[in-house]
Amino acid sequence: MHEDIRRLADRIKGADRVCVLTGAGVSAESGVPTFRGPQGMWKNHDPTELATPQAFSRDPKLVWEFYNWRRTLLSEVQCNPAHTALAAMESLVPHFTLVTQNVDGLHRKAGSANIIEIHGNIWNVRCTSCGHERQDPSPNLGELPCCDVCGGLLRPGVVWFNESLDPELWRQSVEAASRAEVMLVAGTSAVVQPAASLAGVAKRFGALVAEINPEATDQSDMMDIALRGKAGEVLPKLLED
Ligand code: BV8
Ligand code: ZN
């Protein structure tokens, strides 16, 4: 692995354009449960069942209980070395784009700047009636939070399953992946689409693609470099001289 880390570190340092896709695994060492990991359940509910418009219209109280639980948990966690390493890497690379599936806001907290939050952000709330959107850092927004403009029911400002991604954010993500000389895919099971397709886009346009994950994924065979380790341990090593 040491040889692969050196090879990847050299490629990153020599690159003009780097694109990174992160998933729940880069927040795992902050103590944030992943979606599909061993402790990926919440009160015997599968998170992917709760992160849907259908679940919200069927039982908004349950879905808000789930999101208030995550907001409360996230309000108490710190960034980990994976987040800080990616923030440091951004300052080394002329054109660095961080595409994240995570909604926890920890990349921004760690100092990353050019972030594309393709699945939204849990700290955003949006009115289901008038569409008014605001950032709200409070850990718990109450059972059924209402819009302070029209009194309508608020929803988390995230992209649920079976909802479309913001077309402009997706276009920017595909552009960054297609222009990258190096594409890192860190902490994602590569199950969720279309996010997972970015690695294939980068590869098709000639990028060196590398995966950072303690476990193999369906994309591992496509990778030029697969670093079998924790993001919080591997990413900082890519910055060592
Ligand atoms: C869409 C926001 C068009 C909410 C999220 C059948 C086949 C293929 C696709 C589909 C299908 N049926 C439906 C679809 C499309 C669907 C999809 O992909 N479904 C999957 C489940 C099959 N996608 C969508 O619906 C997307 N929209 O397609 O629009 C459309 C329009 C209308 C109708 C239909 C389609 C929208 C997807 C967005 C969903 N929202 N999040 C919220 O967070 O509350 S996705 C959610 O999963 C999170 O964002 C999470 O990040 C993401 C992906 O999961 P991962 O990040 O990969 O996390 P996971 O737990 O899976 O894996 C963790 C990994 O980390 C593991 O590999 C583990 O080994 C590793 N790890 C653990 N520890 C560490 C580590 N790695 C490094 N270091 C460590 N320490
Ligand atoms: Zn409103």
Side-chain angles (χ1 to χ4, degrees), residues 126-132 146-154:
R126 185 170 72 241
C127 177
T128 56
S129 304
C130 73
H132 176 70
C146 291
C147 173
D148 45 19
V149 170
C150 78
L153 178 61
L154 295 179

Side-chain angles (χ1 to χ4, degrees), residues 22-30 32-38 40 47-48 50-52 54 66-67 70 80 82 100-104 118-122 155-165 185-196 211-217 227 229-235:
T22 61
V26 301
S27 295
E29 290 155 88
S30 295
V32 183
T34 61
F35 268 68
R36 293 167 190 83
T48 55
L50 292 167
T52 67
Q54 292 75 13
F66 172 55
Y67 280 90
R70 287 173 70 194
N80 72 65
T100 187
Q101 300 173 86
N102 300 341
V103 300
D104 56 32
I118 49 169
H119 292 163
N121 186 304
I122 199 167
R155 60 163 283 175
V158 299
V159 179
W160 279 327
F161 289 101
N162 294 327
E163 287 188 322
S164 303
L165 277 61
V185 180
T188 183
S189 59
V191 163
V192 173
Q193 295 296 353
E211 179 182 67
I212 295 147
N213 195 323
E215 290 168 26
T217 69
L227 301 175
K230 293 185 171 183
E233 292 165 10
V234 171
L235 286 169

Side-chain angles (χ1 to χ4, degrees), residues 61-74 122 138-145:
K61 266 193 189 157
L62 177 70
V63 173
W64 265 115
E65 194 186 341
F66 172 55
Y67 280 90
N68 281 324
W69 172 76
R70 287 173 70 194
R71 292 170 68 98
T72 303
L73 181 134
L74 287 170
I122 199 167
S138 27
N140 189 319
L141 288 171
E143 268 192 341
L144 289 173

Side-chain angles (χ1 to χ4, degrees), residues 8-20 85-98 112-114 176 179-184 235 238-239:
L8 181 55
D10 291 345
R11 289 294 296 268
I12 292 168
K13 289 197 177 99
D16 183 45
R17 293 180 175 281
V18 170
C19 183
V20 184
L86 287 171
M89 194 184 286
E90 181 170 4
S91 51
L92 298 177
V93 177
H95 300 278
F96 185 91
T97 305
L98 174 55
S112 289
N114 191 19
R179 299 179 71 182
E181 292 152 71
V182 178
M183 174 103 197
L184 301 184
L235 286 169
L238 293 172
L239 301 173

